[in-house]
Amino acid sequence: MNEQLVESISFQLISNIGTAKSFIMEALYSAKAGNFELADKKLKEADQYFTEGHKIHASLIQKEASGEKLNFSLLIMHAEDQLMSTETIRELVKEMIDIYRKIQK
């Protein structure tokens, strides 16, 4: 796979995952303010972008598994890092939202 294509895919991944992370944080802030309906909506929006990011990531894995050589760079490693950290943040925020729900009851 040529360097420009890997770069393009990396940016697509970073863009989708970054948008998901923004929605996740908006969900947390909404829950903190007591607006759980908006928090749930923001998490659903985040999931759409997160799913798209995972599809992009899976396509890279499939290419490599089929024998296509991938040139890794700092950019692709950054994209991978963003994916993994956002997945962790998403799970923690879901737990925090549940705590906010219990506190507000």
Side-chain angles (χ1 to χ4, degrees), residues 17-33:
I17 295 303
T19 301
K21 189 188 300 184
S22 293
F23 279 123
I24 290 165
M25 294 309 298
E26 288 177 24
L28 178 60
Y29 303 143
S30 296
K32 185 177 181 179

Side-chain angles (χ1 to χ4, degrees), residues 12-51:
Q12 289 174 28
L13 182 54
I14 290 166
S15 175
N16 278 286
I17 295 303
T19 301
K21 189 188 300 184
S22 293
F23 279 123
I24 290 165
M25 294 309 298
E26 288 177 24
L28 178 60
Y29 303 143
S30 296
K32 185 177 181 179
N35 190 341
F36 297 107
E37 186 176 319
L38 182 58
D40 292 340
K41 179 182 176 206
K42 294 294 182 180
L43 284 177
K44 285 180 185 173
E45 289 177 284
D47 283 345
Q48 292 173 1
Y49 286 95
F50 196 76
T51 298

Side-chain angles (χ1 to χ4, degrees), residues 2 5 9 39-41 54 70 72 95-96 101 105:
N2 73 40
L5 185 54
I9 291 170
D40 292 340
K41 179 182 176 206
H54 261 293
L70 299 177
F72 282 92
E95 291 298 319
M96 292 174 76
R101 283 184 209 274
K105 283 186 178 181

Side-chain angles (χ1 to χ4, degrees), residues 62-95:
Q62 289 171 345
K63 288 179 187 306
E64 187 172 51
S66 69
E68 195 168 339
K69 176 82 172 129
L70 299 177
N71 297 321
F72 282 92
S73 67
L74 187 56
L75 187 61
I76 191 77
M77 293 191 69
H78 174 66
E80 291 278 325
D81 180 57
Q82 292 301 303
L83 177 67
M84 297 307 297
S85 66
T86 299
E87 189 165 14
T88 300
I89 291 166
R90 181 179 67 167
E91 294 309 309
L92 290 172
V93 164
K94 285 180 179 180
E95 291 298 319

Side-chain angles (χ1 to χ4, degrees), residues 54-67:
H54 261 293
K55 286 178 186 176
I56 294 165
H57 185 250
S59 75
L60 285 174
I61 292 171
Q62 289 171 345
K63 288 179 187 306
E64 187 172 51
S66 69

